[in-house]
Amino acid sequence: MPHDRRDVIQRIVRSVRAHSYLEIGCDEDRVFAAVDVPTKVGVDPVRGGTHRMTSDQFFATSNAGFDVVFVDGDHRYAQVWRDVA
């Protein structure tokens, strides 16, 4: 039976006892809203999350570290590579 990505992420959050979560590409907040951690940051240039900007803009201005990161923004290879790096 396939798992919903929200369930998978929440299981990861629990297993590593995460206190912080970053989501790149929040869109309508379906995943972002479901993740239960004390600190959540969501980056999306159009809607959803907590920061209205591109991931490049976010990383240029933030040095924050996160326990769990979900990259689901721009799906082009070069951009995903930058987001992960």
Side-chain angles (χ1 to χ4, degrees):
M1 172 187 247
H3 294 281
D4 182 281
R5 67 181 71 185
R6 293 170 289 197
D7 296 333
V8 172
I9 293 169
Q10 193 59 50
R11 285 181 183 183
I12 293 168
V13 163
R14 280 194 300 267
S15 72
V16 301
R17 296 183 177 139
H19 294 282
S20 60
Y21 172 75
L22 170 64
E23 184 170 312
I24 303 296
C26 300
D27 192 32
E28 296 177 357
D29 283 342
R30 286 180 221 162
V31 175
F32 187 73
V35 176
D36 183 22
V37 293
T39 302
K40 292 195 304 188
V41 174
V43 178
D44 194 293
V46 179
R47 64 179 172 254
T50 58
H51 291 66
R52 194 69 53 238
M53 59 180 60
T54 66
S55 57
D56 288 339
Q57 292 168 324
F58 175 77
F59 290 125
T61 60
S62 176
N63 293 341
F66 297 91
D67 298 321
V68 175
V69 177
F70 178 44
V71 177
D72 191 29
D74 183 337
H75 296 167
R76 292 175 294 172
Y77 178 83
Q79 184 62 52
V80 172
W81 182 258
R82 280 198 311 270
D83 288 346
V84 171

